[in-house]
């Protein structure tokens, strides 16, 4: 089915085509047939021309889009001749000279002939009919009936196209008559002169005759009616009535016709008695003798003003159609429309109101023509409430056009509108939805002509379609933007979460977040934290233009009245803030009445801001703020949700950082305590041990068996206590990174042998010692490691023999200590190298779970490894692997925290 837009374009094409056809054709019959077939090509499904007075053989010309159906049309016409009753149909149109339109034929069917109508309508379902007069200079030459079948119906805008076709057809008939009269006069030269004059007086056209050389000899009386005086009374007649722009080209044409003896034809504006220029088609026919010499010129000027104006309107509509098709947004459409409307002659102001999406606001754009600058001035759209007493709002609300034809009527309805003649306001409606309205203020008062109204109807029709298209486009664009924004938000949240989890220094982390928020989420961002004194510190700020970033810090320093500021409000209430900073009151709130701050804030050109709290609602610890400026983004509730989520995650990160710092502090204090305590314990214990040795060697006590036993117990317990204190001392050294190595060239087997020799005979392990395994290692620390591994092998070895091997492969030396005792479960095997970790709960095997931890730290600082192979019930093998050249390895890594002291 054809769209309205297509049909309007078709009408434009049709009228242009009809004009061309009729002005070029001299044979009236074929011209009218051509008109009928043109009408049925796109505009109507069928067409009937009925001529009231004609010399043509046919009175009726019928056309149908499908030539096979011509007889249906004939039959329908005959049926309807009876059905059109009094006051309706082609006869009435001829009489009254007024067009008729029936959009729904079935509704207006006369009741008495309903049965007949049904029979005629069988297979020929006529939906809509228009009848227009064939009209020229006030004379009706017949009618044209246009019919539409079931697929489409005629609207008012179609009627104006049909009427224009009627006018063009009428004009063609009038011209043909004139031509005929001239021909008759030519044939009967003698009495023809008189006959011609008589006939020419009956014609509606302005008629003249001229001698072969062009001198005028006769004007019919219509001239006097038209100009207000007899042409002969004015020696400079042509010059005074023809528009000055057309004088020269007209004379050129006339001169050419005089020389060649060919038909003269020119379209020009001729001034009427009121001083208005009216478009005329001026034609001159030469009559010739048998030798072909021109004897006389017969000429006539036919009023084609409405046709010409229609052509102008069509051109303007075409121009508007193409401008609207280029416009993409509603603003562009408004601009294209207003520029063209305000340029129409007699228009003072044009205004366009477009309904906003929420429905209670109208966006108003106004255009003026500035004659002195010769350009159109369009005022920026402003928003008004639909209840505003503005003609546009009233028209939108009422969905009806408003036409006020006098100054007083306009003033009494709209007192604000002064110096306005007539006013015409038309609603822009698309599929019963009101999109807005168009208002035209005319210079002068008086009736807005039917032609202008028809033209404006076509304009608003085109505009409504273009607006609807733009709305769809804009809403699609809006949805796409929202999807992109959401994606951007999620990306930013993911990035922020990564940043928050990466670092345990909360200030560093917040600075990082603030830096990444721009431009991902906003154009500027800052974080304020409440310090221990209850003051606010701005700990991080970022702005898209880094040169202006400092303003964000200056602003908080200058901001003394913090207790009233937006930041303190968020701190006090715990509620987020979303503010439009283009609103003066909000800017005032931010600036707290301080002009210097206001200047600072304004220099950042902020548009929208979100402020969210950090910390729990009951006790916020700070505020995180995000604002937009250069991007012109306006934050919405979804942005607030994102900002709040970010605030929650940042709060968690700050809390974690605080807990971590506290825990570190506690561990540090404990290690310090351990270090001091073990030092303090070691000194008295050493002196107690010495005293015990002295007492034990006292001869007087040698005989006292019991006392000696008691001393043995003292001895073993103080040795354990001493070992424990040694371990604690080592731990505190390791924790504080003060464990240092005294590297020396060492023979590993020799060193192991020395350890073994300190053991009681009964516990001594089986040895497999390779000779010459040497390297740079710390003697006493490796001694400590071996002693620990051997002691464990004895302790957990179920009294079974143990074994120590020493050897080397390439640049690596190894010591392995094996037992065949209880073994270690798989799940315990890595854990036992950590502090205070034990795999036994047996109270009989004494231990603190520190030995393997210290051993591993010592091996690590030698850049070696300690491995364990064990099976429950079958025993364990601990293997220590050491690089032979520990010294160069440790040195090659200057960052290493092991301090070296070389012998
Ligand atoms: P401690 O022996 O003082 O408990 P260690 O750090 O030396 O502390 O050892 C940690 C734990 O590893 C021991 O408690 C024990 O459960 C297990 N373990 C160490 N060596 C052996 C071994 N040779 N056989 C079985 N278990 C062992």
């Amino acid at each position: 089915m054809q769209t309205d837009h297509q049909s309007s374009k078709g009408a434009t094409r049709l009228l242009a085509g009809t004009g061309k056809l009729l002005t070029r054709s001299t044979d009236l019959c074929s011209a009218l047939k051509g008109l009928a077939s043109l009408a049925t090509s796109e505009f109507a499904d069928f067409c009937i021309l009925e001529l009231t007075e004609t010399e043509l053989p046919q009175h009726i010309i019928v056309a149908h889009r499908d030539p096979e159906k011509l007889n249906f049309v004939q039959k329908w016409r005959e049926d309807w001749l009876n059905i059109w009753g009094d006051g309706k149909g082609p006869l009435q149109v001829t009489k009254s000279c007024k067009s008729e339109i029936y959009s729904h034929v079935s509704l207006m069917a006369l009741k008495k002939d309903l049965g007949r109508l049904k029979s005629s309508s069988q297979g020929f379902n006529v939906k809509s009919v228009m009848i227009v007069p064939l009209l020229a200079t006030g004379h009706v030459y017949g009618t044209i009936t246009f019919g539409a079948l079931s697929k489409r119906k005629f609207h008012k805008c179609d009627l104006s196209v049909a009427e224009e076709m009627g006018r063009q057809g009428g004009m063609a008939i009038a011209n043909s008559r004139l031509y005929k009269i001239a021909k008759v006069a030519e044939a009967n030269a003698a009495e023809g002169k008189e006959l011609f004059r008589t006939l020419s007086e009956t014609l509606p056209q302005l008629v003249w005759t001229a001698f072969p050389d062009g001198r005028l000899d006769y004007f019919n009386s219509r001239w006097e009616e038209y100009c207000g005086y007899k042409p002969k009374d004015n020696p400079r007649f042509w010059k005074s009535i023809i528009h000055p722009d057309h004088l020269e080209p007209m004379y050129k044409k006339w001169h050419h016709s005089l020389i060649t003896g060919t038909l003269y034809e020119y379209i020009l504006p001729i001034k009427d008695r009121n001083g208005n220029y009216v478009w005329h088609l001026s034609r001159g026919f030469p009559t010739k003798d048998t030798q072909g010499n021109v004897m006389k010129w017969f000429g006539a000027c036919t009023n084609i003003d409405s046709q010409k104006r229609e052509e102008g309107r069509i051109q303007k509509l075409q121009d508007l159609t193409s401008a609207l098709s280029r416009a993409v947004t509603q603003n562009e459409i408004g601009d294209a429309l207003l520029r063209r409307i305000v340029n129409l002659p007699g228009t003072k102001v044009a205004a366009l109101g477009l309904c906003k999406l929420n429905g209670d606001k109208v966006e108003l754009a106004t255009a003026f023509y500035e004659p002195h600058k010769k350009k159109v001035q369009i005022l920026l759209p402003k928003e008004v409430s639909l209840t505003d007493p503005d003609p546009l709002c009233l028209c939108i609300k009422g969905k009806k056009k408003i036409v006020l034809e006098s100054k007083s009527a306009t003033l009494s309805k709209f007192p604000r509108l002064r110096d306005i003649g007539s006013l015409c306001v038309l609603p822009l409606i698309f599929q019963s939805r009101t999109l807005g309205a168009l208002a035209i203020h005319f210079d002068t008062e008086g009736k807005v002509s039917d032609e202008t109204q028809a033209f404006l109807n076509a304009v608003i029709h085109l505009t409504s379609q273009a607006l609807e298209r733009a709305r769809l486009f804009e809403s699609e664009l809006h949805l796409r933007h929202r999807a992109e924004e959401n994606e951007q938000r999620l990306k930013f949240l993911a990035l922020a979460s990564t940043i928050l989890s990466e670092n345990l220094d909360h200030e560093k982390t917040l600075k990082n977040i603030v830096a990444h928020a721009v431009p991902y989420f906003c154009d500027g961002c800052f974080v304020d934290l409440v310090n221990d004194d209850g003051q606010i510190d701005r700990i991080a700020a970022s702005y898209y233009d880094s040169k202006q970033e400092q303003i964000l810090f200056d602003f908080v320093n200058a901001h003394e009245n913090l207790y009233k500021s937006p930041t303190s409000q968020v701190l006090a209430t715990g509620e987020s803030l979303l503010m439009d900073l283009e609103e003066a009151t909000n800017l005032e709130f931010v600036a707290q009445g301080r002009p210097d701050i206001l200047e600072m804030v304004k220099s950042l050109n902020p548009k929208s801001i979100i402020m969210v709290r950090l910390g729990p609602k009951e006790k916020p610890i700070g505020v995180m703020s995000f604002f937009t400026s250069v991007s012109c983004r306006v934050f919405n509730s979804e942005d607030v949700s994102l900002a709040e989520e970010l605030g929650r995650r940042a709060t968690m990160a700050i809390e974690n950082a605080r807990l971590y710092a506290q825990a570190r502090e506690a561990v540090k204090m404990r290690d310090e305590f351990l270090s001091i305590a073990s030092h303090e314990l070691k000194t008295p214990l050493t002196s107690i041990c010495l005293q015990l040795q002295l007492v034990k060697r006292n001869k007087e006590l040698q005989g006292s068996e019991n006392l000696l036993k008691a001393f043995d117990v003292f001895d073993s317990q103080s040795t354990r206590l001493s070992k424990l204190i040694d371990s604690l001392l080592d731990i505190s050294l390791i924790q504080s990174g003060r464990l240092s190595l005294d590297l020396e060239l060492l023979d590993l087997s020799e060193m192991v042998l020395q350890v073994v020799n300190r053991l009681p005979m009964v516990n001594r392990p089986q040895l497999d010692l390779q000779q010459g395994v040497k390297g740079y290692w710390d003697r006493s620390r490796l001694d400590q490691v071996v002693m620990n591994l051997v002691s464990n092998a004895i302790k957990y070895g179920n009294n079974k023999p143990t074994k120590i091997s020493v050897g080397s492969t390439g640049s690596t030396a190894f010591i392995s200590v094996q037992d065949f005792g209880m073994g270690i479960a798989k799940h315990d095997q890595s854990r036992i190298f950590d502090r205070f970790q034990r795999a036994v709960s047996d109270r009989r095997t004494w231990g603190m779970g520190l030995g393997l931890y210290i051993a591993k730290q010592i091996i690590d600082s030698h850049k070696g490894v300690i491995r364990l192979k064990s099976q429950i019930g079958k025993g364990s093998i601990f293997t220590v692997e050491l690089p032979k050249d520990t010294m160069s390895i440790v040195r090659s890594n200057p960052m290493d925290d092991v301090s070296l002291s070389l012998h």
Side-chain angles (χ1 to χ4, degrees):
M1 205 204 262
Q2 238 183 3
T3 66
D4 289 349
H5 180 58
Q6 282 167 332
S7 86
S8 128
K9 265 175 77 179
T12 309
R13 221 179 19 244
L14 172 71
L15 288 181
T18 318
K20 239 185 238 168
L21 175 92
L22 295 178
T23 42
R24 284 190 189 158
S25 171
T26 44
D27 171 17
L28 181 64
C29 191
S30 56
L32 293 179
K33 277 185 182 162
L35 183 149
S37 88
L38 256 181
T40 53
S41 62
E42 277 181 52
F43 183 58
D45 290 307
F46 68 87
C47 168
I48 307 166
L49 269 94
E50 299 186 47
L51 309 178
T52 45
E53 26 176 301
T54 180
E55 303 78 32
L56 295 180
Q58 275 173 279
H59 280 259
I60 294 159
I61 295 170
V62 177
H64 190 288
R65 187 168 292 186
D66 177 0
E68 307 254 300
K69 295 207 173 131
L70 278 178
N71 55 338
F72 273 108
V73 183
Q74 295 276 19
K75 194 166 170 349
W76 181 86
R77 181 185 162 270
E78 281 160 26
D79 284 350
W80 277 77
L81 269 184
N82 297 324
I83 295 171
W84 300 116
D86 294 335
K88 284 195 179 79
L91 268 177
Q92 176 60 24
V93 172
T94 313
K95 256 197 266 168
S96 67
C97 190
K98 277 202 177 126
S99 316
E100 291 176 6
I101 177 165
Y102 303 103
S103 294
H104 296 278
V105 169
S106 56
L107 289 181
M108 53 67 63
L110 303 178
K111 282 178 198 137
K112 59 176 180 167
D113 284 304
L114 208 59
R116 195 152 177 197
L117 170 70
K118 272 183 192 154
S119 81
S120 84
S121 300
Q122 268 181 5
F124 199 63
N125 189 6
V126 181
K127 173 124 184 181
S128 198
V129 172
M130 292 187 294
I131 310 162
V132 298
L134 281 159
L135 186 72
T137 8
H139 190 83
V140 180
Y141 292 94
T143 56
I144 316 180
T145 304
F146 298 90
L149 301 182
S150 51
K151 277 188 187 148
R152 66 167 298 215
K153 64 175 188 178
F154 293 124
H155 298 278
K156 278 219 162 137
C157 55
D158 296 314
L159 188 63
S160 56
V161 177
E163 282 173 341
E164 184 50 33
M165 288 185 87
R167 274 194 289 273
Q168 291 186 357
M171 199 66 72
I173 297 171
N175 275 340
S176 133
R177 288 193 156 195
L178 192 68
Y179 187 70
K180 284 241 160 58
I181 291 167
K183 283 278 176 209
V184 172
E186 185 185 339
N188 312 298
E191 78 263 37
K193 190 175 175 186
E194 213 28 61
L195 178 65
F196 169 75
R197 291 201 171 181
T198 320
L199 282 173
S200 66
E201 289 305 319
T202 65
L203 284 173
Q205 279 110 325
L206 306 169
V207 181
W208 51 266
T209 62
F211 297 116
D213 61 1
R215 277 177 300 119
L216 290 156
D217 73 331
Y218 166 73
F219 293 94
N220 72 350
S221 52
R222 293 262 182 268
W223 281 104
E224 195 181 336
E225 287 164 27
Y226 185 79
C227 313
Y229 59 87
K230 283 197 171 84
K232 288 212 162 145
D233 296 346
N234 185 350
R236 301 169 68 82
F237 176 64
W238 289 120
K239 218 172 177 184
S240 62
I241 60 160
I242 289 171
H243 193 283
D245 293 352
H246 289 263
L247 266 174
E248 204 187 314
M250 184 212 73
Y251 279 132
K252 262 192 189 159
K253 276 244 168 182
W254 179 222
H255 188 65
H256 179 259
S257 292
L258 282 179
I259 293 171
T260 55
T262 51
L263 176 80
Y264 156 75
E265 192 174 271
Y266 188 67
I267 292 172
L268 74 179
I270 303 178
K271 203 195 276 181
D272 70 6
R273 61 195 308 151
N274 302 319
N276 298 324
Y277 282 101
V278 179
W279 284 98
H280 279 80
L281 167 67
S282 173
R283 285 180 137 191
F285 307 99
T287 56
K288 296 176 184 171
D289 61 17
T290 44
Q291 272 86 47
N293 300 316
V294 175
M295 290 161 58
K296 193 108 181 161
W297 288 92
F298 295 92
C301 299
T302 311
N303 182 334
I304 55 162
D305 200 58
S306 61
Q307 181 186 336
K308 220 28 206 166
R309 287 191 196 283
E310 184 63 27
E311 266 174 36
R313 278 198 292 275
I314 289 168
Q315 211 170 3
K316 280 177 188 141
L317 275 181
Q318 273 174 333
D319 173 46
L320 181 66
T321 312
S322 79
L324 291 182
S325 66
R326 283 193 304 273
V328 178
T329 61
Q330 296 191 68
N331 279 351
E332 285 170 6
I333 288 172
D335 195 83
L337 174 73
L338 290 176
R339 273 179 202 287
R340 279 156 186 84
I341 293 293
V342 88
N343 261 325
L344 294 178
T347 308
K348 190 171 182 130
V349 177
L352 177 72
L354 295 179
C355 301
K356 298 282 282 184
L357 279 181
N358 55 17
D360 59 352
K361 290 262 176 342
V362 177
E363 198 170 80
L364 215 93
T366 315
F368 302 92
Y369 183 73
E370 294 189 307
H372 55 287
K373 288 191 194 158
K374 289 207 166 168
K375 70 171 206 187
V376 174
Q377 168 88 22
I378 297 194
L379 300 186
L380 276 182
K382 61 172 185 182
E383 222 174 71
V384 297
S385 160
L386 194 56
T387 52
D388 212 65
D390 183 280
L392 285 167
C393 298
L394 218 70
C395 174
I396 291 170
K397 265 203 300 189
K399 297 185 176 198
K400 270 197 195 130
K401 80 172 167 190
I402 303 171
V403 181
L404 298 169
E405 293 176 342
S406 70
K407 253 185 194 176
S408 54
T410 309
L411 254 179
S412 73
K413 197 148 181 129
F414 304 107
R416 281 200 308 215
L417 302 182
R418 302 189 173 276
D419 297 330
I420 294 223
S422 332
L423 172 73
C424 185
V425 197
L426 302 150
L428 292 159
I429 295 177
F430 186 84
Q431 289 177 350
S432 69
R433 265 183 309 114
T434 313
L435 308 178
L438 172 68
I440 301 125
H441 301 197
F442 295 98
D443 271 332
T444 51
E445 49 186 350
K447 187 173 165 8
V448 179
S449 75
D450 291 348
E451 285 156 6
T452 307
Q453 289 207 29
F455 172 71
L456 291 176
N457 281 341
V459 166
I460 60 161
H461 185 65
L462 287 173
T463 310
S464 305
Q465 284 177 329
L467 280 175
E468 181 61 15
R469 189 198 63 215
R471 276 189 187 221
L472 287 176
F473 174 75
E474 281 171 18
S475 77
E476 205 263 339
L477 208 68
H478 179 70
L479 286 178
R480 200 154 10 117
H481 269 151
R482 278 188 56 172
E484 278 168 11
E485 269 177 26
N486 275 343
E487 198 183 316
Q488 185 90 337
R489 281 193 201 104
L490 289 177
K491 266 190 195 161
F492 171 56
L493 195 62
L495 176 75
S497 305
T498 316
I499 294 171
L500 288 170
S501 61
E502 260 170 5
N503 207 311
L504 277 165
D505 177 340
H506 74 273
E507 278 204 23
K508 234 190 213 171
T509 305
L510 288 172
K511 276 184 185 147
N512 217 346
I513 291 277
V514 162
H516 279 86
V518 179
Y520 262 108
F521 180 57
C522 53
D523 301 317
C525 178
F526 48 91
V527 176
D528 300 317
L529 290 185
V530 183
N531 64 22
D532 295 339
D533 305 331
Q535 299 293 310
I536 286 177
D537 289 335
R538 181 147 301 171
I539 61 143
S542 169
Y543 187 57
Y544 87 96
D545 178 4
S546 51
K547 279 183 230 132
Q548 282 183 285
E549 207 165 83
Q550 186 54 38
I551 295 180
L552 292 173
F553 289 102
D554 297 346
F555 164 57
V556 77
N557 295 337
H559 214 286
E560 286 158 11
N561 294 339
L562 270 175
Y563 61 95
K564 281 192 230 147
S565 70
T567 312
S568 51
Q569 182 178 315
V570 176
L571 286 173
T573 61
E575 299 290 345
S576 309
L577 265 186
L578 167 63
M579 284 193 291
D580 175 1
L581 291 182
E582 286 182 300
E583 284 242 340
T585 47
N586 288 339
L587 266 186
E588 281 296 322
F589 175 42
V590 173
Q592 295 296 299
R594 290 262 309 264
D596 53 334
I597 298 176
L598 193 65
E599 275 315 297
M600 262 188 231
V601 177
K602 274 187 177 168
S603 70
L604 299 173
N605 198 14
K607 305 271 180 257
S608 185
I609 189 166
I610 297 176
M611 301 176 87
V612 295
R613 67 157 201 279
L614 295 173
K617 190 170 180 190
E618 314 72 50
K619 199 172 174 275
I621 53 168
V623 177
M624 202 170 191
S625 308
F626 309 87
F627 66 93
T628 57
S629 63
V630 64
S631 66
C632 291
R633 258 188 73 199
V634 176
F635 284 132
N636 55 25
S637 56
E638 284 166 49
D639 295 311
V640 176
S641 306
L642 173 90
E644 284 176 341
E645 181 57 33
L646 199 64
R648 274 192 288 277
R649 294 187 190 191
T651 303
M652 240 151 70
I654 295 172
E655 271 313 296
N656 284 348
R658 283 197 176 170
L659 288 175
Y660 177 72
Q662 279 172 10
R664 269 180 66 142
E665 191 55 27
V667 169
K668 201 173 142 208
M669 281 172 68
R670 188 199 63 195
D671 289 345
E672 270 172 19
F673 169 77
L674 273 180
S675 165
I676 296 164
S678 32
H679 265 293
E680 294 307 310
L681 286 171
K682 188 81 184 167
T683 323
L685 188 65
T686 315
S687 87
I688 290 171
C689 287
L690 281 173
Q691 290 305 315
L692 273 173
Q693 295 301 324
L694 283 176
V695 175
K696 232 173 121 182
R697 279 189 219 118
N698 191 327
K699 299 257 166 67
E700 289 170 23
L701 295 176
Q702 294 297 330
S704 168
E705 227 15 68
N706 286 343
L707 211 55
L708 278 175
K709 263 190 188 164
F711 275 120
D712 278 345
V713 174
F714 283 147
D715 202 18
S716 79
Q717 290 306 318
S718 55
T719 309
R720 269 175 70 175
L721 199 55
S722 168
K723 274 187 184 166
L724 177 61
I725 291 170
D726 283 342
S727 295
L728 289 178
L729 260 173
D730 284 344
I731 295 282
S732 68
L733 280 180
I734 291 165
Q735 285 306 110
S736 59
R738 286 181 289 124
L739 180 76
S740 62
L741 297 181
D742 284 341
L743 298 181
E744 61 180 285
L745 189 60
L746 193 70
D747 185 320
L748 212 53
S749 297
E750 260 179 44
M751 188 272 292
V752 169
L753 208 57
Q754 282 171 13
V755 176
V756 171
N757 286 339
R758 293 208 300 277
L759 296 169
M761 285 303 283
V762 58
N763 288 337
R764 288 194 184 166
Q766 187 189 329
L767 297 174
D768 176 10
L769 306 176
Q770 190 183 317
Q771 294 308 304
V773 181
K774 291 183 180 170
Y776 283 92
W777 300 300
D778 183 315
R779 176 185 291 277
S780 70
R781 288 296 178 193
L782 287 191
D783 184 302
Q784 189 181 348
V785 170
V786 175
M787 183 55 95
N788 177 264
L789 293 178
V790 178
S791 306
N792 280 349
I794 297 164
K795 201 160 45 165
Y796 305 109
N798 291 348
N799 297 320
K800 290 186 183 157
T802 55
K803 185 179 171 189
I804 301 186
S805 313
V806 171
S808 77
T809 49
S811 56
T812 310
F814 68 84
I815 312 163
S816 74
V817 179
Q818 184 174 14
D819 68 73
F820 302 90
M822 61 196 295
I824 305 162
K826 239 195 161 57
H827 58 266
D828 290 328
Q829 288 182 9
S830 60
R831 160 177 92 76
I832 53 172
F833 292 97
D834 288 338
R835 277 187 298 175
F836 306 110
Q837 294 296 325
R838 306 196 73 210
V840 282
S841 52
D842 190 350
R843 297 211 59 144
R844 283 167 301 170
T845 50
W846 179 87
M848 286 273 287
L850 287 174
L852 282 181
Y853 170 72
I854 295 169
K856 185 172 182 311
Q857 298 305 314
I858 292 169
I859 303 303
D860 280 353
S861 49
H862 278 87
K863 302 291 164 201
V865 284
I866 179 161
R867 302 180 201 281
L868 165 63
K869 256 187 174 178
S870 182
Q871 230 180 323
I872 285 280
K874 294 205 168 158
S876 314
I877 309 176
F878 286 86
T879 307
V880 171
E881 290 175 12
L882 292 165
K884 285 183 185 164
D885 196 2
T886 303
M887 191 152 56
S888 64
I889 294 171
V890 172
R891 268 184 177 169
S892 71
N893 188 357
M895 297 302 286
D896 209 291
D897 57 359
V898 175
S899 58
L900 301 172
S901 60
L902 293 170
H903 293 281

